Amino acid sequence: MQPKLKKLLALQDADRVIMAMEAELEALEPEISLLDGSVQRAEDALVAVRGALEDATTRRQDLETRMETYKVMQERRRQKLEWVRGAKEASALMAEIDLARTVLAKEEADWIRSADEVQEREARVEQGAADVTAEVESQVDRRAEIAKIQEECQSRLAEASEVRKKAAAKVERNLLQVYARIQKGRAPFAMYELHADACGHCFTSVPMHLRQQIGSGEALPTCEACGVLIYQAE
Ligand SMILES: [Zn+2]
């Protein structure tokens, strides 16, 4: 085999490893997205119940403030009743006090409902927080496995990149440019073996004169159909 062909193949071997590692890393992405999504959904649910709790707490606080005001006003009416002289005025005040008592009773009933609601929502927040923790914990083992795979891939990727750099430095410049251009094309790799009398990538038959060049190793022709470099395996 021609030395320049050997050097190119060394480059392609490094690229093969790089592509495999990149593909392996990429293949993990959907699963990582699923895991992230599950945590995100639990967190979103928690945010929603926290918001609902905040609303209920505000409602309860508003009711308490209003009830305080009613109680103060009612107390004033009672005090006023003590020094009111006229019977007509007193009975009007009594009627007012009765009405206010009814209103206050209704407000108190509302407050009890509101307080129940706060409690119920507090429980939901607690459950929501537990759900987030449970989801995160359920993923710990798989996340660790994924991290390990990623680490291994990254380390092999770094290694292959070093190998590639050295291999590329040995290939002559214009051949490297040809290789890079073909690599950017549709075929996964730039170089394919001659299979019987056809291109190893697209399986279009290679004309006799090119096969002779390939066989003698004197040239590194490209496939007329798909453009990859064709070589003869030893
Ligand atoms: Zn081809």
Side-chain angles (χ1 to χ4, degrees):
M1 194 181 279
Q2 292 271 59
K4 70 173 181 181
L5 177 58
K6 264 189 181 164
K7 286 169 188 169
L8 263 184
L9 283 172
L11 182 64
Q12 175 150 292
D13 283 344
D15 278 337
R16 213 181 276 278
V17 176
I18 289 169
M19 281 169 71
M21 289 306 106
E22 281 172 350
E24 204 169 324
L25 285 168
E26 210 181 297
L28 291 170
E29 289 308 320
E31 192 187 352
I32 294 169
S33 292
L34 278 179
L35 292 174
D36 288 346
S38 295
V39 174
Q40 189 61 56
R41 267 193 302 283
E43 278 172 350
D44 288 348
L46 178 58
V47 166
V49 289
R50 273 192 182 135
L53 171 61
E54 216 174 281
D55 292 346
T57 309
T58 305
R59 253 197 312 279
R60 188 183 61 180
Q61 186 57 51
D62 289 350
L63 278 167
E64 279 168 10
T65 309
R66 221 157 59 209
M67 275 160 59
E68 274 314 304
T69 313
Y70 285 155
K71 278 176 188 167
V72 168
M73 283 160 66
Q74 191 73 322
E75 191 48 38
R76 275 190 204 138
R77 287 187 199 102
R78 285 208 186 91
Q79 281 168 6
K80 199 175 166 190
L81 194 59
E82 282 171 24
W83 53 263
V84 158
R85 293 284 170 255
K88 202 175 161 189
E89 205 180 338
S91 91
L93 201 52
M94 290 283 284
E96 230 179 275
I97 287 170
D98 278 348
L99 184 65
R101 193 180 293 132
T102 313
V103 171
L104 196 58
K106 191 189 156 293
E107 290 285 318
E108 268 164 357
D110 284 351
W111 181 86
I112 289 167
R113 263 198 300 280
S114 175
D116 284 349
E117 200 175 43
V118 168
Q119 252 180 359
E120 183 205 315
R121 289 181 184 189
E122 274 169 351
R124 271 198 231 166
V125 166
E126 214 169 293
Q127 184 57 53
D131 288 347
V132 171
T133 307
E135 187 54 46
V136 169
E137 275 172 5
S138 78
Q139 295 185 3
V140 165
D141 290 348
R142 185 55 190 152
R143 292 261 190 193
E145 280 169 17
I146 290 172
K148 196 161 167 259
I149 296 169
Q150 283 175 322
E151 209 177 298
E152 279 167 12
C153 286
Q154 292 292 0
S155 128
R156 286 187 62 193
L157 196 57
E159 229 171 79
S161 298
E162 271 309 302
V163 171
R164 189 197 195 278
K165 215 154 75 183
K166 283 179 190 149
K170 288 178 189 163
V171 178
E172 57 183 272
R173 203 178 151 77
N174 51 356
L175 200 52
L176 198 60
Q177 280 169 349
V178 170
Y179 176 91
R181 199 188 60 236
I182 299 170
Q183 203 185 25
K184 278 186 198 141
R186 288 180 183 205
F189 296 101
M191 305 166 74
Y192 283 82
E193 257 179 60
L194 183 70
H195 268 281
D197 61 352
C199 161
H201 174 242
C202 71
F203 300 103
T204 303
S205 69
V206 176
M208 176 70 89
H209 71 281
L210 288 183
R211 288 207 310 270
Q212 277 167 349
Q213 284 180 13
I214 296 165
S216 67
E218 68 194 53
L220 202 54
T222 55
C223 170
E224 289 176 333
C226 73
V228 301
L229 291 162
I230 303 171
Y231 67 95
Q232 176 93 64
E234 282 192 324

Short mmCIF file of all heavy atoms in Angstrom, two decimals, residues 61-96:
data_model
loop_
_atom_site.label_atom_id
_atom_site.label_comp_id
_atom_site.label_asym_id
_atom_site.label_seq_id
_atom_site.Cartn_x
_atom_site.Cartn_y
_atom_site.Cartn_z
N GLN A 61 -55.70 36.02 54.85
CA GLN A 61 -55.21 37.25 55.49
C GLN A 61 -56.20 38.40 55.28
O GLN A 61 -56.50 39.15 56.22
CB GLN A 61 -53.83 37.61 54.91
CG GLN A 61 -53.14 38.78 55.59
CD GLN A 61 -52.97 38.55 57.09
OE1 GLN A 61 -52.47 37.50 57.50
NE2 GLN A 61 -53.44 39.49 57.90
N ASP A 62 -56.73 38.51 54.06
CA ASP A 62 -57.71 39.56 53.75
C ASP A 62 -58.95 39.41 54.62
O ASP A 62 -59.48 40.40 55.15
CB ASP A 62 -58.12 39.50 52.27
CG ASP A 62 -57.00 39.94 51.35
OD1 ASP A 62 -55.99 40.48 51.88
OD2 ASP A 62 -57.10 39.74 50.12
N LEU A 63 -59.40 38.17 54.77
CA LEU A 63 -60.59 37.91 55.60
C LEU A 63 -60.32 38.30 57.05
O LEU A 63 -61.17 38.90 57.71
CB LEU A 63 -60.98 36.43 55.52
CG LEU A 63 -61.80 36.03 54.29
CD1 LEU A 63 -61.85 34.52 54.15
CD2 LEU A 63 -63.23 36.58 54.41
N GLU A 64 -59.13 37.97 57.53
CA GLU A 64 -58.78 38.31 58.92
C GLU A 64 -58.78 39.81 59.13
O GLU A 64 -59.30 40.31 60.13
CB GLU A 64 -57.41 37.72 59.28
CG GLU A 64 -57.51 36.24 59.65
CD GLU A 64 -56.15 35.54 59.72
OE1 GLU A 64 -55.11 36.23 59.68
OE2 GLU A 64 -56.15 34.29 59.81
N THR A 65 -58.20 40.53 58.16
CA THR A 65 -58.15 41.99 58.27
C THR A 65 -59.57 42.56 58.29
O THR A 65 -59.89 43.43 59.10
CB THR A 65 -57.37 42.58 57.06
OG1 THR A 65 -56.13 41.89 56.96
CG2 THR A 65 -57.14 44.06 57.21
N ARG A 66 -60.42 42.02 57.38
CA ARG A 66 -61.79 42.53 57.30
C ARG A 66 -62.56 42.23 58.59
O ARG A 66 -63.27 43.07 59.11
CB ARG A 66 -62.50 41.88 56.10
CG ARG A 66 -63.36 42.88 55.36
CD ARG A 66 -63.62 42.48 53.95
NE ARG A 66 -64.28 41.21 53.80
CZ ARG A 66 -64.12 40.42 52.74
NH1 ARG A 66 -63.32 40.80 51.75
NH2 ARG A 66 -64.77 39.29 52.66
N MET A 67 -62.35 41.01 59.12
CA MET A 67 -63.04 40.64 60.36
C MET A 67 -62.60 41.52 61.51
O MET A 67 -63.42 41.91 62.35
CB MET A 67 -62.75 39.17 60.68
CG MET A 67 -63.70 38.22 59.96
SD MET A 67 -63.05 36.55 59.87
CE MET A 67 -62.87 36.18 61.59
N GLU A 68 -61.31 41.86 61.55
CA GLU A 68 -60.81 42.75 62.60
C GLU A 68 -61.54 44.09 62.52
O GLU A 68 -62.00 44.62 63.53
CB GLU A 68 -59.29 42.97 62.44
CG GLU A 68 -58.43 41.91 63.12
CD GLU A 68 -58.89 41.60 64.54
OE1 GLU A 68 -58.97 42.55 65.35
OE2 GLU A 68 -59.22 40.43 64.83
N THR A 69 -61.66 44.62 61.31
CA THR A 69 -62.35 45.91 61.12
C THR A 69 -63.80 45.81 61.58
O THR A 69 -64.29 46.69 62.31
CB THR A 69 -62.31 46.29 59.62
OG1 THR A 69 -60.99 46.09 59.13
CG2 THR A 69 -62.73 47.74 59.40
N TYR A 70 -64.48 44.74 61.18
CA TYR A 70 -65.88 44.55 61.59
C TYR A 70 -66.01 44.48 63.11
O TYR A 70 -66.91 45.06 63.68
CB TYR A 70 -66.44 43.23 60.99
CG TYR A 70 -66.75 43.32 59.53
CD1 TYR A 70 -66.75 42.17 58.74
CD2 TYR A 70 -67.07 44.54 58.92
CE1 TYR A 70 -67.03 42.23 57.39
CE2 TYR A 70 -67.35 44.60 57.57
CZ TYR A 70 -67.32 43.44 56.80
OH TYR A 70 -67.60 43.50 55.47
N LYS A 71 -65.07 43.77 63.73
CA LYS A 71 -65.13 43.62 65.19
C LYS A 71 -64.95 44.97 65.87
O LYS A 71 -65.66 45.28 66.85
CB LYS A 71 -64.06 42.63 65.67
CG LYS A 71 -64.50 41.18 65.51
CD LYS A 71 -63.38 40.22 65.89
CE LYS A 71 -63.77 38.79 65.55
NZ LYS A 71 -62.61 37.90 65.61
N VAL A 72 -64.03 45.78 65.37
CA VAL A 72 -63.79 47.11 65.95
C VAL A 72 -65.05 47.96 65.79
O VAL A 72 -65.51 48.62 66.74
CB VAL A 72 -62.58 47.80 65.27
CG1 VAL A 72 -62.49 49.27 65.64
CG2 VAL A 72 -61.29 47.08 65.65
N MET A 73 -65.65 47.91 64.59
CA MET A 73 -66.87 48.69 64.35
C MET A 73 -68.01 48.23 65.24
O MET A 73 -68.77 49.05 65.77
CB MET A 73 -67.28 48.58 62.87
CG MET A 73 -66.43 49.47 61.96
SD MET A 73 -66.50 48.94 60.23
CE MET A 73 -68.21 49.30 59.88
N GLN A 74 -68.11 46.91 65.42
CA GLN A 74 -69.16 46.35 66.28
C GLN A 74 -68.97 46.80 67.73
O GLN A 74 -69.94 47.14 68.40
CB GLN A 74 -69.12 44.82 66.16
CG GLN A 74 -70.29 44.10 66.78
CD GLN A 74 -71.57 44.24 65.96
OE1 GLN A 74 -71.84 45.31 65.40
NE2 GLN A 74 -72.37 43.20 65.93
N GLU A 75 -67.73 46.82 68.16
CA GLU A 75 -67.42 47.24 69.53
C GLU A 75 -67.83 48.71 69.72
O GLU A 75 -68.42 49.06 70.74
CB GLU A 75 -65.92 47.05 69.80
CG GLU A 75 -65.48 47.20 71.24
CD GLU A 75 -66.35 46.41 72.23
OE1 GLU A 75 -66.77 45.28 71.89
OE2 GLU A 75 -66.64 46.94 73.32
N ARG A 76 -67.59 49.50 68.71
CA ARG A 76 -67.96 50.93 68.77
C ARG A 76 -69.48 51.08 68.89
O ARG A 76 -69.97 51.90 69.64
CB ARG A 76 -67.47 51.66 67.53
CG ARG A 76 -66.03 52.11 67.67
CD ARG A 76 -65.64 53.04 66.54
NE ARG A 76 -64.19 52.98 66.38
CZ ARG A 76 -63.55 52.95 65.22
NH1 ARG A 76 -64.24 52.98 64.09
NH2 ARG A 76 -62.25 52.91 65.19
N ARG A 77 -70.21 50.25 68.15
CA ARG A 77 -71.68 50.31 68.21
C ARG A 77 -72.16 49.95 69.63
O ARG A 77 -73.06 50.57 70.15
CB ARG A 77 -72.30 49.34 67.21
CG ARG A 77 -72.17 49.80 65.77
CD ARG A 77 -72.94 48.88 64.83
NE ARG A 77 -72.45 49.05 63.47
CZ ARG A 77 -71.62 48.22 62.84
NH1 ARG A 77 -71.23 47.10 63.44
NH2 ARG A 77 -71.22 48.49 61.64
N ARG A 78 -71.54 48.93 70.20
CA ARG A 78 -71.94 48.51 71.56
C ARG A 78 -71.69 49.63 72.56
O ARG A 78 -72.53 49.89 73.43
CB ARG A 78 -71.16 47.26 71.96
CG ARG A 78 -71.65 46.02 71.28
CD ARG A 78 -71.39 44.78 72.13
NE ARG A 78 -71.75 43.59 71.37
CZ ARG A 78 -70.91 42.91 70.59
NH1 ARG A 78 -69.64 43.27 70.49
NH2 ARG A 78 -71.32 41.87 69.91
N GLN A 79 -70.53 50.28 72.41
CA GLN A 79 -70.21 51.39 73.33
C GLN A 79 -71.21 52.53 73.15
O GLN A 79 -71.69 53.11 74.11
CB GLN A 79 -68.78 51.88 73.08
CG GLN A 79 -67.74 50.98 73.72
CD GLN A 79 -66.33 51.29 73.24
OE1 GLN A 79 -66.12 52.25 72.51
NE2 GLN A 79 -65.38 50.48 73.66
N LYS A 80 -71.49 52.77 71.88
CA LYS A 80 -72.43 53.85 71.57
C LYS A 80 -73.81 53.57 72.18
O LYS A 80 -74.48 54.46 72.70
CB LYS A 80 -72.55 53.97 70.04
CG LYS A 80 -73.11 55.31 69.56
CD LYS A 80 -73.08 55.35 68.03
CE LYS A 80 -73.93 56.49 67.51
NZ LYS A 80 -74.09 56.37 66.05
N LEU A 81 -74.17 52.28 72.16
CA LEU A 81 -75.49 51.85 72.70
C LEU A 81 -75.64 52.22 74.19
O LEU A 81 -76.74 52.51 74.66
CB LEU A 81 -75.63 50.34 72.53
CG LEU A 81 -77.02 49.72 72.71
CD1 LEU A 81 -78.01 50.34 71.71
CD2 LEU A 81 -76.96 48.22 72.51
N GLU A 82 -74.50 52.24 74.88
CA GLU A 82 -74.55 52.55 76.32
C GLU A 82 -74.94 53.99 76.62
O GLU A 82 -75.55 54.27 77.64
CB GLU A 82 -73.19 52.23 76.97
CG GLU A 82 -73.02 50.73 77.20
CD GLU A 82 -71.61 50.37 77.64
OE1 GLU A 82 -70.92 51.25 78.17
OE2 GLU A 82 -71.21 49.21 77.41
N TRP A 83 -74.57 54.91 75.77
CA TRP A 83 -74.92 56.30 76.08
C TRP A 83 -76.05 56.87 75.20
O TRP A 83 -76.48 58.00 75.36
CB TRP A 83 -73.71 57.22 76.12
CG TRP A 83 -72.80 57.17 74.89
CD1 TRP A 83 -71.67 56.45 74.75
CD2 TRP A 83 -73.00 57.90 73.67
NE1 TRP A 83 -71.10 56.64 73.54
CE2 TRP A 83 -71.91 57.55 72.83
CE3 TRP A 83 -73.96 58.80 73.18
CZ2 TRP A 83 -71.77 58.06 71.55
CZ3 TRP A 83 -73.80 59.32 71.91
CH2 TRP A 83 -72.71 58.93 71.09
N VAL A 84 -76.53 56.06 74.23
CA VAL A 84 -77.67 56.52 73.43
C VAL A 84 -78.90 56.63 74.32
O VAL A 84 -79.19 55.73 75.11
CB VAL A 84 -77.92 55.54 72.26
CG1 VAL A 84 -79.35 55.65 71.73
CG2 VAL A 84 -76.95 55.80 71.13
N ARG A 85 -79.60 57.77 74.19
CA ARG A 85 -80.75 58.01 75.07
C ARG A 85 -82.09 57.63 74.39
O ARG A 85 -82.88 56.90 74.95
CB ARG A 85 -80.76 59.48 75.53
CG ARG A 85 -79.61 59.84 76.42
CD ARG A 85 -79.80 59.30 77.86
NE ARG A 85 -78.59 59.45 78.65
CZ ARG A 85 -77.76 58.45 78.97
NH1 ARG A 85 -78.00 57.22 78.55
NH2 ARG A 85 -76.71 58.66 79.71
N GLY A 86 -82.27 58.15 73.20
CA GLY A 86 -83.56 57.96 72.53
C GLY A 86 -83.84 56.50 72.20
O GLY A 86 -82.93 55.78 71.79
N ALA A 87 -85.10 56.05 72.44
CA ALA A 87 -85.47 54.65 72.19
C ALA A 87 -85.39 54.31 70.71
O ALA A 87 -84.94 53.22 70.33
CB ALA A 87 -86.89 54.39 72.70
N LYS A 88 -85.78 55.26 69.89
CA LYS A 88 -85.77 55.03 68.44
C LYS A 88 -84.34 54.84 67.92
O LYS A 88 -84.05 53.93 67.15
CB LYS A 88 -86.43 56.25 67.77
CG LYS A 88 -86.97 55.94 66.38
CD LYS A 88 -87.70 57.15 65.84
CE LYS A 88 -87.85 57.08 64.34
NZ LYS A 88 -88.37 58.35 63.78
N GLU A 89 -83.49 55.73 68.47
CA GLU A 89 -82.07 55.69 68.08
C GLU A 89 -81.43 54.37 68.56
O GLU A 89 -80.66 53.73 67.85
CB GLU A 89 -81.34 56.87 68.71
CG GLU A 89 -80.09 57.27 67.93
CD GLU A 89 -79.36 58.45 68.57
OE1 GLU A 89 -80.02 59.21 69.33
OE2 GLU A 89 -78.17 58.59 68.29
N ALA A 90 -81.83 53.96 69.78
CA ALA A 90 -81.29 52.72 70.36
C ALA A 90 -81.74 51.50 69.56
O ALA A 90 -80.93 50.60 69.30
CB ALA A 90 -81.74 52.58 71.82
N SER A 91 -82.99 51.49 69.16
CA SER A 91 -83.46 50.31 68.43
C SER A 91 -82.84 50.24 67.03
O SER A 91 -82.56 49.16 66.51
CB SER A 91 -85.00 50.28 68.38
OG SER A 91 -85.48 50.93 67.24
N ALA A 92 -82.61 51.41 66.44
CA ALA A 92 -81.91 51.43 65.13
C ALA A 92 -80.50 50.87 65.28
O ALA A 92 -80.02 50.08 64.45
CB ALA A 92 -81.88 52.85 64.59
N LEU A 93 -79.86 51.26 66.35
CA LEU A 93 -78.50 50.80 66.63
C LEU A 93 -78.48 49.29 66.89
O LEU A 93 -77.59 48.56 66.41
CB LEU A 93 -77.94 51.57 67.83
CG LEU A 93 -76.41 51.60 67.98
CD1 LEU A 93 -75.74 52.06 66.69
CD2 LEU A 93 -76.03 52.50 69.14
N MET A 94 -79.49 48.81 67.61
CA MET A 94 -79.64 47.37 67.89
C MET A 94 -79.77 46.58 66.59
O MET A 94 -79.14 45.52 66.41
CB MET A 94 -80.88 47.11 68.76
CG MET A 94 -80.79 47.60 70.19
SD MET A 94 -79.78 46.51 71.22
CE MET A 94 -80.97 45.18 71.43
N ALA A 95 -80.60 47.14 65.71
CA ALA A 95 -80.80 46.48 64.41
C ALA A 95 -79.48 46.42 63.64
O ALA A 95 -79.13 45.41 63.01
CB ALA A 95 -81.85 47.22 63.60
N GLU A 96 -78.73 47.50 63.72
CA GLU A 96 -77.42 47.58 63.05
C GLU A 96 -76.46 46.53 63.62
O GLU A 96 -75.73 45.86 62.88
CB GLU A 96 -76.84 48.98 63.29
CG GLU A 96 -76.36 49.69 62.03
CD GLU A 96 -75.84 51.07 62.36
OE1 GLU A 96 -76.65 52.02 62.43
OE2 GLU A 96 -74.61 51.17 62.56
#
